[in-house]
Amino acid sequence: MKNIQLVGIVGAGQMGRGIAQVAAQTGYEVVLFDAFKNSLDFGYSFIKTQLDKGVEKGKWSADEATKAYSRIKITAEMADLKNCDLVIEAATEKKELKFDIFKKLDEAVKPEAILASNTSSISITEIAATTKRPHQVVGMHFMNPVPVMKLVEGIRGLETSDETFNTVAAVSEKMGKTFVRAQDYPGFAVNRILMPMINEAVYALYEGVATAKDIDTAMKLGTNQPMGPLELADFIGLDTCLAIMNVLHDGLADTKYRPCPLLKQYVAAGRYGRKNGKGFHIYDK
Ligand code: CAA
């Protein structure tokens, strides 16, 4: 197994900043990279706020929070990831963007490093094929909110080596997460099951089975889920849900994965969910 000390994160959005926070709190040195300075600065200050809130709630001490924060360096230059032992990419869920990032990471980061993607549905085998080190490319799929959710779904691409897979399993466990193993088929395990449930809830709304509020209440109270499926869709982002449904539909070529027209319409209208205040429900921004 490889010895991992310095972890690079690509993307300071809601997933990247959560991964950076948890990595730093579990003793890793972290380099958080985002090409967009505004996003980088916002992500960095968000981590500080989260660490401070944890101190107020008595989850960890002020000293632990200060130490964790001091382990995170931020940069807008990908070249600063060069000495990382592991880089976890958490950019927007767009295939061409991820391919481009991995091509660039392959040039920028030392050859022995592992390159992981937090993709929720894009093929790890295809991402790996854009690099000259496919044996060292793997999926590490964290759940949102990263500091709260206990799972990392590990995805093994066709060429991923045992050493790479076992290393990221150990890193995930050191980060306090349970690691499950999935093969590289569309949606892996979590989204293969979760997204059709969400899509079916949208169909139920579309067909007038019940209101959005009642669908969520029914599933929350009737099946003991912390959020109803439409509320969860808003939380994940309706654009992301649609992107994942498209991956399932294209990749598995089965009409049972057909994205609901209402989901497509909401995304076309710019209703992305909680992140912009309007999805199946309305939120205070
Ligand atoms: N970052 C850090 N901590 C957070 C947080 C965030 N963004 N949001 C909530 N928390 C913490 C709170 O601080 C609180 O901690 P304490 O109990 O220690 O005080 C705890 O979570 C509970 O929060 P709240 O009391 O504010 O709210 P809640 O009880 O309604 O829980 C929730 C919020 C944890 C998000 C809960 O509703 C939940 O578990 N929802 C389902 C989340 C889920 O399914 N996520 C996976 C989505 S799928 C995915 O991510 C993968 C994909 O590919 C699409």
Side-chain angles (χ1 to χ4, degrees):
M1 240 188 316
K2 284 187 194 286
N3 179 20
I4 306 294
Q5 288 177 355
L6 184 60
V7 177
I9 314 282
V10 175
Q14 70 181 5
M15 297 306 286
R17 65 192 182 222
I19 300 168
Q21 180 192 327
V22 174
Q25 285 187 284
T26 48
Y28 290 105
E29 295 296 326
V30 175
V31 184
L32 177 60
F33 157 73
D34 197 312
F36 297 97
K37 191 77 178 63
N38 286 350
S39 173
L40 186 64
D41 291 341
F42 179 78
Y44 193 46
S45 65
F46 189 91
I47 294 172
K48 176 91 175 63
T49 309
Q50 291 301 114
L51 288 170
D52 289 346
K53 271 192 189 161
V55 175
E56 278 163 33
K57 286 184 178 175
K59 286 188 190 174
W60 44 74
S61 70
D63 184 48
E64 284 168 324
T66 307
K67 279 193 180 136
Y69 200 55
S70 71
R71 286 191 198 107
I72 304 174
K73 305 282 173 289
I74 58 168
T75 180
E77 302 296 329
M78 190 186 272
D80 291 332
L81 299 175
K82 63 177 180 294
N83 294 322
C84 291
D85 305 305
L86 163 68
V87 175
I88 306 171
E89 170 278 320
T92 311
E93 192 66 2
K94 288 189 182 137
K95 211 171 176 172
E96 297 313 321
L97 175 69
K98 294 213 190 259
F99 288 177
D100 185 52
I101 290 173
F102 271 76
K103 256 187 223 153
K104 290 181 176 151
L105 283 176
D106 197 29
E107 299 292 321
V109 186
K110 63 181 181 183
E112 62 273 30
I114 292 177
L115 305 180
S117 176
N118 179 55
T119 178
S120 43
S121 62
I122 296 166
S123 163
I124 296 300
T125 305
E126 284 185 53
I127 291 176
T130 66
T131 73
K132 295 189 192 74
R133 57 178 105 181
H135 304 297
Q136 292 153 240
V137 177
V138 65
M140 280 178 93
H141 183 206
F142 289 81
M143 307 293 131
N144 184 23
V146 180
V148 179
M149 304 299 285
K150 293 283 175 225
L151 185 75
V152 172
E153 183 180 30
I155 301 111
R156 196 169 185 141
L158 189 69
E159 306 286 1
T160 308
S161 70
D162 286 346
E163 185 188 45
T164 300
F165 206 57
N166 292 339
T167 302
V168 297
V171 169
S172 305
E173 271 149 29
K174 189 177 161 194
M175 286 172 78
K177 308 297 182 194
T178 296
F179 186 84
V180 296
R181 291 159 172 79
Q183 297 299 326
D184 187 21
Y185 295 112
F188 319 130
V190 169
N191 282 322
R192 174 77 177 261
I193 299 163
L194 175 66
M195 283 303 153
M197 183 195 74
I198 287 176
N199 196 46
E200 199 57 34
V202 185
Y203 270 111
L205 179 67
Y206 177 62
E207 290 168 11
V209 173
T211 63
K213 189 164 176 282
D214 281 350
I215 288 168
D216 279 342
T217 303
M219 294 303 286
K220 252 171 96 162
L221 302 186
T223 68
N224 243 3
Q225 301 186 25
M227 286 175 168
L230 299 174
E231 191 189 355
L232 183 57
D234 283 349
F235 182 69
I236 293 167
L238 301 192
D239 49 341
T240 303
C241 292
L242 179 58
I244 298 171
M245 280 314 296
N246 282 328
V247 167
L248 291 176
H249 193 222
D250 296 346
L252 298 163
D254 189 324
T255 52
K256 75 178 174 182
Y257 301 111
R258 189 171 69 104
C260 179
L262 187 63
L263 179 61
K264 287 185 172 174
Q265 195 182 39
Y266 271 47
V267 173
R271 283 188 173 227
Y272 297 143
R274 262 203 203 175
K275 62 184 155 193
N276 69 349
K278 255 186 177 182
F280 293 110
H281 304 281
I282 306 294
Y283 303 87
D284 295 332
K285 279 202 191 151

